[in-house]
Amino acid sequence: MIDSATSSPSVNALSGHYSKNKVKRALGYFAAGKVVTGAVSFLTLLLLLRLLTVPDYGAYVAIIALQGIVIMLSSLGLDAAADRFLPELRMMHSEALVRRAVCVAILARSVVLLLFAGIALIGWPLLSGWIGVDDGQAGYVLVGLVLFSGAFNFTGNVLEALLQQKRAQLASVSQVISRFGMYALAYGLLGRLSVDQALQIETVSYVIGLCLSVFTLVLYFRRHATGAPAAAVGTALPPLRHRVARFASLNYAARILDQAQGPHGMRVLASGLLGSIAAAAFGFVMGLTDLVQRYLPSTLLVRLIRPIFVSRYTVNQDFAQINAFARVVLKLNLLFVVPILAFVAAFGDVVVGVVGGGKYAGTEWLLLLALSISVPNAHKSVVSLVANTTERNVLQFQGGVFSLLGLTCGVLSAPLLGLYGILLSALLAAFGYNTFAVWRFRREGVPYSPDLRAGLKIGLAGCAFALLARGGVLAWSGLPGVVLGIGVGVAGFALCIRWLRVFSGPEKQMLGDLLPSRAKFVLAWI
C-alpha cells in the first residue's frame, strides 16, 4: 500500500492542483500559446513551400515522416504514461514523488531515444532507398532531429500533464518563432534551400525549444522542492509500476498499429510507392491537414483537458462525468472541423493557389478528402482520451488492427487510384476503428454514447456554409465574391448551430466552468 506520508487527501485534490481557477488560468496561457504557434507555423509552411523545389519538398516530407515514425517507435508508451499517471501522482502524492517519477521517465526516454536514433542511422541506406532520397548526410541530420525533437516533445508533455501551461507554451512558442526566423532569414538571403539545410534549421529550432523547456521544468521543481523523505518516496512507486508498465505496453502496441495508417505512415507509403513528385503533392495536402488538426482549439483542448479527466476519474471513478466531458470535446472538434471542410469545398482552388504558390494546382479535391479524415479522427481522439483515462488500452490495441486493414487497402489501391487510394484507405480505417471502439465499450458495459444527432446537426450546418459561400462566389465574381461568400457562409453556419441547439444546458454549464469570463459570450450563440 502507499505510505501515508506521501499521500494527500483526495477530497482536496480538485481544489488544489486542478481546481477550476487553475484550469481557467492554464486555459488562458494555452489558448494564447496555440494561437501564436498556429499562426507562425502556417507562415513557416508558406516559406518552406517557396524555399524548396517540388522534388526537394517531397524528400523533406519523407524524411520528416521517418522522423515521426522513429520518435513514435522510441516512445515505448512513455509519453502516454506520463500524460495519464503524472496528474494522478500529483494529486495523491507529494511533489518529491512526482519529481522522482519525472526524472526516471526523462532518463528512460533519453536512453531509448539514443538507441533508436542509432538504429535509424544504421538503417538509413535501406530507408533512403525506399523513400528515394539519395543523400548520405541526411541520415546524420535525421539522427539529430530525432534526438532533439523527441526530447522536446516529451518534456512538453510532462509540463502539460502537470498543468504548467505557461511554461509549456513559452517553450513551444520559442521553438516555432526561432524556426520561422531562420526560414525567413534564409528566404531573404538565399531564396532557396536544400533538404539538408531545411532539416538543420528544424534541428536547431528544437534545440532552442528543448533548452527552454528543460530550464522551466527544473525551475518548477526547484520552487516546489517539498515532500516526503526519500525512504517514503521509494515505497510509493512500486504499487504503480505494474499499472504503468501494462498501460505503456498496450498503448505502445496500439500506436504501432495505428501508425501504419497515420499521417507519417501515409507519407512514407506515398513516397515509396508513387515517387517524390507525388510525395510532394501529398506532403503539401497533409501539411495543411496536420496544421488544421494540430491547431484546432477543440483538438488542442484534449491536451489541456486530459489532466482534468484523470483528476476527476481518480477521485470519484464516475464514468458518467467522463462521458459528458467526452461528448462536449467531440462536439467542439466537429464544430471547428466542419466549417473548415465547408470552406475548402467552396474555395479549395483559391486555398491551393494562394498557399502553394501555384506549385500544387489541382490538389483541391485531394485536400478536401484529406481534411474529411479529420471527422472520424475527431471521434478517434476522444475514444483514445476515454480509453487512456479508464486504462482500457486493450480496446486501442484491438482497434489498431483496422489500421492494418487500411494499410493493406492503401498498398493495393495506390497503383490504381494514386494518392486518392491512400487517403480512402485511411478513411476506411478510421471509420472501422470508431465502429469497433463504440461496440467494445458497450459490450464491456461502459455507458459511452457519442451524440450522433448533434454530429448530424453540425454536418447540416456545414452544408449550409458551403452552399451559401459558393452562392456568394456565383453572385459576385473575383475577390469581392469570395469575401461575400465567406461572410454569408459563416453567418449561416452560426445561425444554424444556434437554431439546431447542438449543446444542451448542462453542457453549456460545463463549458462555462472552464472558459474565462471574457469568453463566455460564445456560449450565448451555441
Side-chain angles (χ1 to χ4, degrees):
M1 298 298 292
I2 298 173
D3 195 300
S4 60
T6 66
S7 300
S8 59
S10 61
V11 294
N12 295 326
L14 298 184
S15 61
H17 296 304
Y18 298 97
S19 64
K20 288 182 180 179
N21 288 335
K22 289 190 175 182
V23 169
K24 287 183 178 181
R25 193 180 307 118
L27 180 59
Y29 291 123
F30 177 83
K34 294 307 180 183
V35 167
V36 173
T37 54
V40 175
S41 295
F42 178 72
L43 294 175
T44 303
L45 179 63
L46 293 180
L47 283 175
L48 191 59
L49 291 170
R50 286 154 177 79
L51 281 166
L52 297 176
T53 63
V54 172
D56 281 351
Y57 185 67
Y60 169 87
V61 165
I63 294 173
I64 293 296
L66 284 177
Q67 170 219 352
I69 292 173
V70 173
I71 289 175
M72 186 280 301
L73 290 175
S74 70
S75 70
L76 298 184
L78 291 172
D79 300 66
D83 286 339
R84 170 59 182 84
F85 290 102
L86 282 180
E88 180 175 335
L89 282 171
R90 195 178 180 214
M91 287 177 56
M92 307 302 292
H93 307 290
S94 68
E95 290 289 347
L97 178 62
V98 175
R99 184 169 63 249
R100 180 180 175 185
V102 168
C103 291
V104 170
I106 290 177
L107 178 61
R109 188 73 179 93
S110 301
V111 171
V112 177
L113 266 174
L114 284 168
L115 175 63
F116 275 81
I119 293 173
L121 182 61
I122 294 172
W124 174 248
L126 180 63
L127 294 173
S128 61
W130 165 255
I131 62 176
V133 177
D134 186 18
D135 187 348
Q137 296 300 317
Y140 295 99
V141 181
L142 175 63
V143 168
L145 194 57
V146 166
L147 288 175
F148 292 113
S149 63
F152 170 74
N153 291 337
F154 187 71
T155 52
N157 284 350
V158 169
L159 287 168
E160 291 191 346
L162 296 173
L163 207 63
Q164 297 301 304
Q165 286 292 338
K166 181 179 180 179
R167 293 176 167 88
Q169 297 308 320
L170 178 62
S172 182
V173 167
S174 299
Q175 187 266 324
V176 297
I177 288 181
S178 62
R179 178 173 174 248
F180 172 76
M182 286 183 283
Y183 277 126
L185 186 63
Y187 186 75
L189 297 178
L190 304 175
R192 191 72 65 188
L193 284 179
S194 66
V195 177
D196 283 348
Q197 290 171 327
L199 295 176
Q200 288 166 8
I201 287 176
E202 299 284 342
T203 304
V204 172
S205 72
Y206 280 118
V207 170
I208 294 172
L210 175 61
C211 290
L212 190 55
S213 62
V214 170
F215 174 75
T216 56
L217 187 61
V218 170
L219 190 62
Y220 165 76
F221 281 119
R222 284 179 62 87
R223 291 181 177 178
H224 298 79
T226 60
V233 171
T235 62
L237 274 179
L240 279 175
R241 286 175 182 166
H242 176 71
R243 288 175 59 202
V244 172
R246 183 178 185 277
F247 179 93
S249 59
L250 287 173
N251 187 278
Y252 180 61
R255 289 190 66 188
I256 290 176
L257 292 174
D258 187 59
Q259 192 65 225
Q261 201 58 36
H264 297 308
M266 287 192 291
R267 286 181 173 95
V268 172
L269 192 64
S271 180
L273 294 177
L274 303 174
S276 61
I277 303 298
F282 193 74
F284 166 70
V285 167
M286 292 305 298
L288 289 176
T289 303
D290 289 349
L291 200 61
V292 168
Q293 289 185 309
R294 189 181 308 142
Y295 293 104
L296 281 172
S298 54
T299 303
L300 291 171
L301 190 60
V302 173
R303 295 294 301 274
L304 174 66
I305 212 170
R306 185 182 287 116
I308 305 170
F309 265 56
V310 174
S311 63
R312 301 296 194 270
Y313 191 72
T314 299
V315 170
N316 53 37
Q317 299 290 303
D318 183 7
F319 187 83
Q321 192 177 44
I322 297 299
N323 187 60
F325 267 111
R327 288 164 71 101
V328 169
V329 173
L330 177 59
K331 291 177 185 180
L332 288 174
N333 273 320
L334 295 177
L335 198 61
F336 286 94
V337 168
V338 170
I340 292 174
L341 270 173
F343 178 80
V344 173
F347 307 112
D349 54 341
V350 177
V351 173
V352 167
V354 171
V355 176
K359 294 182 179 180
Y360 302 98
T363 59
E364 55 267 20
W365 292 109
L366 197 66
L367 176 61
L368 183 63
L369 180 58
L371 286 170
S372 67
I373 302 175
S374 302
V375 175
N377 280 347
H379 181 261
K380 192 174 177 181
S381 66
V382 173
V383 167
S384 175
L385 182 61
V386 173
N388 283 343
T389 301
T390 58
E391 297 182 51
R392 286 180 167 85
N393 301 95
V394 174
L395 179 150
Q396 292 175 287
F397 173 73
Q398 294 172 336
V401 174
F402 287 96
S403 294
L404 295 181
L405 174 63
L407 175 66
T408 304
C409 293
V411 171
L412 295 176
S413 61
L416 179 64
L417 300 176
L419 298 177
Y420 287 97
I422 296 175
L423 289 174
L424 286 171
S425 67
L427 194 61
L428 173 65
F431 275 112
Y433 180 97
N434 287 326
T435 302
F436 172 82
V438 174
W439 172 79
R440 184 59 189 264
F441 270 135
R442 292 179 178 176
R443 185 185 179 189
E444 294 183 359
V446 177
Y448 174 74
S449 55
D451 193 344
L452 299 179
R453 182 179 297 179
L456 179 61
K457 291 177 180 179
I458 296 173
L460 291 174
C463 292
F465 184 122
L467 291 174
L468 290 171
R470 199 61 192 172
V473 174
L474 295 175
W476 200 346
S477 61
L479 182 60
V482 174
V483 174
L484 174 64
I486 293 174
V488 173
V490 170
F493 181 81
L495 290 173
C496 285
I497 292 298
R498 186 177 186 183
W499 177 60
L500 294 172
R501 296 182 180 179
V502 173
F503 289 89
S504 66
E507 289 171 341
K508 290 183 180 180
Q509 180 63 41
M510 188 180 297
L511 286 172
D513 290 340
L514 294 175
L515 291 174
S517 56
R518 288 177 293 181
K520 289 185 179 181
F521 72 92
V522 177
L523 297 177
W525 280 96
I526 60 175

